[in-house]
Amino acid sequence: MSRPQKLYVKSYGCQMNVYDSRRMADTLAPLGFVETATADDADLVILNTCNIREKAADKVYSELGRIRALKENAASDGRCVVVAVAGCVAQAEGKEILRRAPAVDIVVGPQSYHRLPDLLARAARGRVVDTEFPIEDKFDHLAAPTRAATRARGLSTFVTVQEGCDKFCAFCVVPYTRGAEGSRPAAKIVAEIERLTDAGVREITLVGQNVNAYHGDGPDGLPWTLGRLLYRVAQVPGIARLRYTTSHPCDMDDSLIAAHRDLPSLMPHLHLPVQSGSDRILAAMNRRHTRADYLHVIDTLRAIRPDIAFSSDFIVGFPGESEDDFLASFNLIDEIGYASAYSFKYSPRPGTPAAELPQLPDEVTSERLSRLLYAIDRQQAVYNARCRGLALDVLFEKQGKLPGQLVGRSPYLQPVQVMAPPELIGEIHKVTITDLGTYSLFGTLARAAIRTPELAATGV
Ligand code: 5AD
Ligand code: SF4
C-alpha cells in the first residue's frame, strides 16, 4: 500500500481564504492527502495567497524562496514536492508567478479550486495555470469535510455565502481578483451549516467580501437578503452563535437591522469598515457614503440593539489625504467608541484607480498610522475597561496557555480567559470579568448553568 500523501496548506489574508483552504483540503482528502502542520514533510504545498496590500503579495515570493530550497532538498532524497499557488495573487499574476518562482508547479485562481485533482494530474506532465472564471459553480464540486475534519477544526467556523464585489472602491483590488458579486443559493448554505452543527460546530460566521450584499436564490424562488438568510440559519438546531463579515455600510438594509433585533443567536458585534472619517476622502475612495450616512447606520443599530459593538478598518495616507482629513478619521474612533479597529497604510495596487494618483510621502503616512494605532489602542482599552465587573456569556472554545485555563469569546468578540474545567468546551457560561489584558479579558466562572441562546429562549 502506498503511504498517504501529506498536504500543507498555508493561508494568508482574510477568512474567505481560511474557508477556501479547508475546502481545498477536503477536496484532496479522497485522493489520499492528509494535512500536515509544516511544509517540511509535505508532498503537496499550497500557498493560499492574499493580494490586498503590496506587503501581503511580497510575502508569497519570500515564502516561495524558502519552499524552493525545501523542494530541492527533497529532490536530492528522491522525494517529489508539488507546489501550488492559489488565492488572489494567483488570480492577479497568473503565468507571471511561473516566471518569477521556478519552484511553482500549479497556479490556481479562487474560482477553480474544485479542479485541483485534475490540475495535480496535469502537473505531472508540466506546469499548469488555471485562473479562469468557469461556468460551473465550484461550491457544487468541492468536497464536504468529514465529521472528523470538522471536529478537528473547532467549534467556531466560517461559511462562505458570497464572493466578489461590485463596489469598486478606488483603492481595492478585490473586484478585479475575485470578480463580480455572486451569492450561493440559500438552501445549499443551510445544508452545509446543518452538516457542521451536526458534527458539533456551535458558532458560524457567514463570510463574503461584501457579505451584506448577499442576494442568493431562496428556496421560494425569490432572491434572499442576508437578513432573510440569517433568520433561516438561526433555526438550524445546535447553532448557538451567528456572525457575519465583512459588511459595507450601504448594504445594511432593514431586514439585516431587524435580524439584530429579533435573533438572540445573532451576536451583538459588527465589523463595519469605514476606511476614512473624511467626506472628501470617502468620495475620492468611491465609498458611496458620507460620514453622516455611516453614523446613521451605527445609530440605527444602536437604537434596536443598544449593546452592539462595532469594529472597523481604516486606511491612512490615501492619495490627497490632508492632515484635516486624517484628523476626521482620528476623531471618528472616539466618536463611535469602537470595540476594536484595524488600520492600514494605503498601498497602491496595480490596476486600481487610486494607484494612478500622486502618492503621499511614506513619512507622512507612517506618522499618521502610528497616531491612529495609538488612538485605536486607547479606545479599545476604554471599551474593555467598561466590561470589568460585567457577567458576559462566553462560548468556551479551547484550552488556554495555562494549565486549567479555557479560552472563549464574549458576544463582542473579545477573547476571554478563565480557569474552568475542560468539559465546558463547547458550552456558553456567564463569566464575571475581573481583569483586563492588552487585547483579552480575564474572568471567573459566574455560575454553572449553561445558557445557550436556545436554552435561554426556553427559560432553562
Ligand atoms: N491599501 C491599504 N489597505 C487596503 N485595504 C484594501 N485595499 C487596501 C489598499 N490598497 C484594507 C481596507 C479593507 C481591508 C480588508 O483592507 O481597509 O477593509
Ligand atoms: Fe474592496 Fe470596497 Fe469591495 Fe470592500 S467594498 S471588497 S473595500 S471594493
Side-chain angles (χ1 to χ4, degrees):
M1 218 177 84
S2 62
R3 73 179 182 100
Q5 299 271 295
K6 290 195 180 161
L7 165 68
Y8 173 66
V9 191
K10 180 160 182 176
S11 213
Y12 299 83
C14 66
Q15 291 98 334
M16 305 201 45
N17 270 8
V18 174
Y19 177 83
D20 284 345
S21 293
R22 290 175 175 173
R23 297 296 299 263
M24 284 191 260
D26 298 334
T27 300
L28 292 166
L31 273 64
F33 282 98
V34 176
E35 276 193 89
T36 172
T38 81
D40 299 336
D41 60 346
D43 303 289
L44 171 60
V45 174
I46 303 179
L47 301 184
N48 194 9
T49 61
C50 171
N51 197 31
I52 198 99
R53 285 169 291 275
E54 196 179 352
K55 246 197 201 160
D58 285 350
K59 264 194 217 154
V60 177
Y61 286 103
S62 48
E63 182 72 14
L64 283 171
R66 277 194 291 278
I67 286 171
R68 181 185 185 174
L70 199 140
K71 182 169 174 156
E72 285 167 359
N73 277 343
S76 59
D77 294 343
R79 202 162 60 80
C80 169
V81 179
V82 177
V83 178
V85 176
C88 293
V89 177
Q91 188 64 42
E93 298 192 12
K95 267 202 217 101
E96 174 66 10
I97 297 178
L98 297 187
R99 199 188 61 76
R100 278 184 68 181
V104 175
D105 303 287
I106 300 171
V107 175
V108 55
Q111 300 310 321
S112 304
Y113 295 154
H114 56 298
R115 294 178 173 172
L116 263 171
D118 175 50
L119 294 172
L120 262 178
R122 283 168 50 201
R125 300 189 295 274
R127 307 167 88 194
V128 284
V129 177
D130 185 345
T131 52
E132 282 173 38
F133 284 80
I135 311 280
E136 76 269 14
D137 181 356
K138 71 170 171 191
F139 291 110
D140 287 341
H141 295 85
L142 287 165
T146 60
R147 268 177 85 85
T150 301
R151 283 181 175 277
R153 289 168 186 168
L155 327 144
S156 174
T157 200
F158 305 122
V159 172
T160 293
V161 301
Q162 181 280 337
E163 284 191 293
C165 183
D166 294 343
K167 292 282 190 298
F168 289 92
C169 297
F171 51 81
C172 187
V173 83
V174 164
Y176 311 95
T177 50
R178 289 278 179 159
E181 261 171 25
S183 301
R184 296 176 66 194
K188 289 190 180 165
I189 295 166
V190 171
E192 182 173 338
I193 292 174
E194 283 171 346
R195 263 199 316 274
L196 292 167
T197 52
D198 191 46
V201 170
R202 309 293 329 272
E203 176 176 84
I204 298 280
T205 303
L206 305 181
V207 296
Q209 260 103 25
N210 199 354
V211 73
N212 58 344
Y214 176 84
H215 58 271
D217 293 335
D220 52 6
L222 298 170
W224 277 18
T225 60
L226 184 67
R228 181 78 188 78
L229 179 68
L230 283 164
Y231 279 92
R232 175 65 189 87
V233 171
Q235 293 169 1
V236 172
I239 288 254
R241 290 183 162 187
L242 277 173
R243 304 179 186 275
Y244 58 94
T245 195
T246 288
S247 298
H248 191 286
C250 295
D251 293 321
M252 290 304 302
D253 67 14
D254 292 347
S255 74
L256 189 50
I257 290 171
H260 278 283
R261 179 193 60 210
D262 297 339
L263 301 177
S265 54
L266 183 56
M267 289 295 99
H269 176 273
L270 179 60
H271 184 59
L272 195 63
V274 67
Q275 315 297 356
S276 169
S278 150
D279 281 342
R280 222 173 57 82
I281 296 298
L282 286 170
M285 285 177 164
N286 190 33
R287 286 291 290 176
R288 303 154 193 249
H289 64 81
T290 60
R291 178 186 177 109
D293 296 333
Y294 183 80
L295 289 168
H296 179 70
V297 174
I298 300 265
D299 288 346
T300 310
L301 281 159
R302 280 190 169 143
I304 55 119
R305 187 73 216 239
D307 67 329
I308 192 166
F310 293 98
S311 62
S312 182
D313 294 338
F314 287 89
I315 294 178
V316 296
F318 185 80
E321 184 188 74
S322 67
E323 176 65 15
D324 280 352
D325 294 322
F326 168 72
L327 288 175
S329 296
F330 191 87
N331 297 337
L332 196 59
I333 290 171
D334 285 351
E335 184 169 348
I336 305 268
Y338 287 111
S340 64
Y342 301 91
S343 53
F344 309 102
K345 265 195 211 180
Y346 170 68
S347 166
R349 305 309 292 131
T352 60
E356 308 298 320
L357 301 171
Q359 306 294 313
L360 293 190
D362 189 54
E363 316 82 79
V364 173
T365 307
S366 298
E367 193 269 340
R368 286 181 189 165
L369 181 70
S370 54
R371 277 194 282 160
L372 200 70
L373 282 170
Y374 174 77
I376 288 171
D377 277 357
R378 193 187 48 194
Q379 169 51 40
Q380 185 164 355
V382 168
Y383 186 88
N384 286 343
R386 291 211 326 252
C387 297
R388 198 199 290 270
L390 296 182
L392 302 181
D393 282 328
V394 173
L395 170 59
F396 290 115
E397 291 181 28
K398 55 184 180 197
Q399 310 251 9
K401 283 202 192 103
L402 302 178
Q405 192 184 50
L406 297 187
V407 186
R409 288 205 182 251
S410 76
Y412 316 109
L413 213 58
Q414 297 141 306
V416 184
Q417 308 192 34
V418 185
M419 299 309 282
E423 305 84 78
L424 300 194
I425 291 176
E427 297 178 2
I428 295 176
H429 290 270
K430 286 261 185 247
V431 169
T432 304
I433 304 305
T434 50
D435 282 301
L436 313 172
T438 315
Y439 298 107
S440 61
L441 307 177
F442 296 88
T444 52
L445 217 44
R447 60 192 162 83
I450 303 170
R451 301 291 294 173
T452 62
E454 311 92 283
L455 293 179
T458 58
V460 175

